[in-house]
């Protein structure tokens, strides 16, 4: 660097930054400097940048995209925007799982207690409903008394006692994501690899994890629909987290239909607890299998199994012997929740309005527009229209058939639970548009189609930018 360049860099490093300049620069397609990105993350966290300017910046970033460098800087700046949690005192490897978002995606309720029961600490920082996808926190809050907002000291105490704790990002922990996540939900700026990567990893890195398992959804219910976009997102997240010192793996998994048979809040918890009780209900097999695969990786990366397959076997043993169920109930109680509601989940379930949708023709359940099904779930009252609105714990959709199932006309296809009788018509109409039948069975789709470890992710990114 010449003396003149150095002087110019020093001068511009000292120049005051203005959000309007940063928005215009991104809008016009230029890459932002690390200082500019850090300014945005800090301003989102401390409220010094007005919401309208953050929204404009998000839309510019969504349209123009973020480079690898911009994504890495944003991820670290959002992670550094608040306090960090240190799991070091727990004396165990801290490993978490995070999904890129799906419909009926409730694996957190299984993998957290499964990994905890196998000797791994699971400090899980989750989110609320985003776009058409459900939110782990909204689901957990269906349990009376369950607190998703804990102080870091309380978080640590629950982890020490139970091995797992599931909370939300707070005003202190990854605060930039708390603001940007809610804003992306309201401004149509969710589906962007750089923004998804920074959102997910900022909270995961702030939790001080030793290792992370990422569940990157593909198919009609994923935020990114094209396989190559999902592969890019998976590689981006693995490489970014590894560069920050967290051992990470990403699995590309099918979201071409809702996972399991329930999509909503309470009904998803009830389905998860059935599996934790060792039951094998019809149409929940994919949920059981994916949870064991993800937990197997967590247990392996947490040093409690030689291989992911060995981790799978340990997780299955913890499912069968009831230790994962005990870990889940202990965690619920430690976070103020009343686990006795699971004594009779059907009795606790009190939806205001119910309608059974019957198959309107005979055939095999074929293609599903799972994103539309996710919006149908939201319109039952299980999700929110506006930020901060309460969600209905009892609303949602229970599916009685999965892709590939043979159904006869008039056979129950789904049960819709809504907040008010007048809220039934819209989800019914969406469902009828979103599910298609065929005369022959549809092609089978692999539950896990690809796995990205660090080397695979780095190679993918090098090939992608060349
Ligand atoms: N989960 C997150 O935490 N953030 C996203 O952007 C998508 C899924």
């Amino acid at each position: 660097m010449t003396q003149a360049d150095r002087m110019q860099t020093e001068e511009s490093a000292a120049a005051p930054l203005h959000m309007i300049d940063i928005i215009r620069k991104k809008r016009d397609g230029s890459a932002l400097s690390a200082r500019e990105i850090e300014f945005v993350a800090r301003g989102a966290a401390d409220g010094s940048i007005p919401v309208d300017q953050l929204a404009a910046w998000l839309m510019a970033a969504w349209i123009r995209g973020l480079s690898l460098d911009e994504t890495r800087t944003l991820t670290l700046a959002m992670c550094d925007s608040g306090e960090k949690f240190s799991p070091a005192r727990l004396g165990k490897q801290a490993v978490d799982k995070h999904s890129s978002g799906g419909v009926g995606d409730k694996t957190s309720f299984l993998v957290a207690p499964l990994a905890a029961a196998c000797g791994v600490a699971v400090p899980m920082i989750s989110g609320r409903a985003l776009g058409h996808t459900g939110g782990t926190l909204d689901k957990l809050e269906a349990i009376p008394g369950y607190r998703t907002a804990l102080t870091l000291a309380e978080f640590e105490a629950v982890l020490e006692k139970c091995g797992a704790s599931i909370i939300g990002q707070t005003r202190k922990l990854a605060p930039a994501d708390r603001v940007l996540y809610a804003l992306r939900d309201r401004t149509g700026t969710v589906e962007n690899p750089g923004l998804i990567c920074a959102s997910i990893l900022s909270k995961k890195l702030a939790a001080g994890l030793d290792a992370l398992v990422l569940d990157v959804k593909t198919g009609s219910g994923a935020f990114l629909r094209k396989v190559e976009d999902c592969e890019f997102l998976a590689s981006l997240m693995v490489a970014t987290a590894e560069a920050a010192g967290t051992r990470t793996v990403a699995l590309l998994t099918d979201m071409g239909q809702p996972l399991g048979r329930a999509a909503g809040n309470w009904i998803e918890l009830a389905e998860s607890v059935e599996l934790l009780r060792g039951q094998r209900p019809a149409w929940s097999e994919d949920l059981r299998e994916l949870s064991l695969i993800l937990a197997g990786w967590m247990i392996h990366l947490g040093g409690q199994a030689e291989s992911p397959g060995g981790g799978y076997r340990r997780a299955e043993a913890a499912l069968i012997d009831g230790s994962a169920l005990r870990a889940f109930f202990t965690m619920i109680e430690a976070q103020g929740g009343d686990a006795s509601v699971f004594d009779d989940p059907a009795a606790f379930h009190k939806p205001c309005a119910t309608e059974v949708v019957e198959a309107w023709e005979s055939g095999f359940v074929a293609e599903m527009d799972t994103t539309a099904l996710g919006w149908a779930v939201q319109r039952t009252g299980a999700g929110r229209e506006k930020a901060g609105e309460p969600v209905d714990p009892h609303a949602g959709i229970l599916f009685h058939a999965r892709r590939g199932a043979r159904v006869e006309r008039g056979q129950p296809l789904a049960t819709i639970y809504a907040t008010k009788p007048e809220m039934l018509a819209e989800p019914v109409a969406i469902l009828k548009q979103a599910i298609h039948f065929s005369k022959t069975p549809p092609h089978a789709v692999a539950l896990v189609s690809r796995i990205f470890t660090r080397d695979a992710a780095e190679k993918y990114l090098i090939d992608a930018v060349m």
Side-chain angles (χ1 to χ4, degrees):
M1 191 187 269
T2 64
Q3 177 70 10
D5 286 343
R6 201 170 302 119
M7 279 173 63
Q8 197 180 356
T9 309
E10 279 164 15
E11 195 184 312
S12 53
L17 293 174
H18 300 279
M19 191 59 187
I20 182 68
D21 298 336
I22 298 174
I23 295 169
R24 293 173 69 239
K25 190 170 170 187
K26 189 53 26 208
R27 179 199 68 187
D28 295 342
S30 300
L32 299 178
S33 68
R35 193 166 158 253
E36 288 164 330
I37 290 182
E38 284 155 7
F39 178 85
V40 174
R42 213 171 27 247
D46 66 16
S48 58
I49 300 177
V51 164
D52 51 357
Q53 288 196 311
L54 286 175
W57 181 81
L58 282 171
M59 189 54 85
W62 192 95
I63 292 170
R64 292 294 188 173
L66 297 171
S67 69
L68 295 187
D69 280 347
E70 287 177 302
T71 301
R72 281 184 187 163
T73 308
L74 181 64
T75 304
L76 296 182
M78 285 170 63
C79 168
D80 292 342
S81 67
E83 284 179 1
K84 306 263 176 62
F85 177 69
S86 169
R89 275 203 299 263
L90 300 172
K92 294 176 182 173
Q93 290 280 297
V95 186
D96 193 5
K97 182 269 342 171
H98 200 89
S99 147
S100 63
V103 180
D105 181 10
K106 53 196 89 70
T107 63
S108 294
F109 308 133
L110 292 133
V111 302
L114 284 167
C118 295
V120 174
V122 188
M124 188 178 274
I125 298 168
S126 298
R128 297 199 175 274
L130 184 66
H132 67 281
T133 68
T136 298
L137 303 180
D138 295 322
K139 297 170 198 174
L140 280 169
E141 284 172 357
I143 305 169
Y146 188 95
R147 290 171 59 219
T148 54
L150 301 187
T151 63
L152 291 188
E154 289 172 323
F155 189 40
E156 183 169 341
V158 176
L159 280 161
E160 258 177 354
K161 184 165 182 222
C162 320
S165 176
I166 309 180
I167 63 167
Q169 74 266 60
T170 65
R171 278 184 197 286
K172 293 194 174 155
L173 199 128
D177 184 54
R178 201 178 64 88
V179 174
L180 294 176
Y181 188 93
L183 203 48
R184 285 167 61 219
D185 192 31
R186 303 201 296 275
T187 56
T189 50
V190 173
E191 311 87 341
N192 173 280
L195 295 176
I196 296 176
C197 173
S199 165
I200 293 181
L201 292 187
S202 59
K203 30 190 193 273
K204 299 290 130 178
L205 299 179
L209 300 175
D210 295 296
L212 173 62
V213 177
L214 293 164
D215 178 3
V216 177
K217 302 293 187 191
T218 61
S220 63
F223 282 127
L224 304 179
R225 294 284 183 94
K226 291 197 212 129
V227 176
E228 55 273 28
D229 290 345
C230 300
E231 290 172 344
F232 178 73
L233 174 64
S235 311
L236 184 64
M237 291 200 286
V238 170
T240 307
E242 286 275 356
T246 305
R247 293 193 308 283
T248 303
V249 66
L251 282 70
L252 249 58
T253 75
D254 178 43
M255 190 32 70
Q257 62 181 329
L259 189 63
R261 66 187 204 285
N265 296 311
W266 170 253
I267 54 176
E268 290 199 30
L269 283 163
E271 183 183 10
S272 307
V273 166
E274 260 183 290
L275 288 174
L276 286 170
R277 287 194 160 122
Q279 295 161 12
R280 309 278 294 255
W283 314 125
S284 296
E285 265 315 295
D286 59 340
L287 170 64
R288 183 183 192 274
E289 181 63 8
L290 183 58
S291 302
L292 291 173
I293 293 171
L294 294 169
W297 272 98
M298 292 169 77
I299 294 162
H300 167 58
L301 292 178
Q304 300 297 322
E306 293 269 305
S307 64
Y312 180 107
R313 287 187 288 281
R314 287 209 59 192
E316 191 164 38
L319 193 63
I320 292 167
D321 71 13
S323 51
L325 178 71
R326 285 193 293 281
F328 191 52
F329 283 170
T330 316
M331 179 194 86
I332 289 171
E333 276 162 4
Q335 294 192 214
D338 176 5
S340 72
V341 288
F342 290 101
D343 292 349
D344 189 349
F348 180 70
H349 186 214
K350 295 199 174 57
C352 171
T354 302
E355 180 164 334
V356 176
V357 180
E358 294 171 347
W360 47 97
E361 56 186 88
S362 300
F364 291 93
V365 178
E367 289 304 299
M368 292 194 198
D369 179 347
T370 311
T371 294
L373 292 176
W375 287 117
V377 174
Q378 188 248 3
R379 304 280 148 87
T380 61
R384 48 180 72 74
E385 291 275 334
K386 298 193 199 92
E389 270 181 358
V391 299
D392 179 349
H394 302 286
I397 303 181
L398 204 55
F399 295 92
H400 305 303
R402 298 187 59 70
R403 192 179 48 210
R406 164 92 211 168
V407 294
E408 299 306 323
R409 185 158 188 244
Q411 182 179 326
L413 196 60
T415 303
I416 307 209
Y417 304 113
T419 307
K420 296 184 217 153
E422 57 272 29
M423 287 168 72
L424 286 165
E426 194 180 0
V428 171
I430 298 177
L431 199 117
K432 288 190 170 168
Q433 292 286 319
I435 299 181
H436 302 275
F437 298 94
S438 61
K439 296 272 172 263
T440 51
H443 293 299
V445 178
L447 190 55
V448 178
S449 52
R450 201 164 166 184
I451 297 177
F452 285 90
T453 54
R454 186 184 62 186
D455 290 349
E458 281 169 1
K459 180 170 181 322
Y460 190 94
L461 290 181
I462 291 167
D463 292 347
V465 292
M466 281 187 26

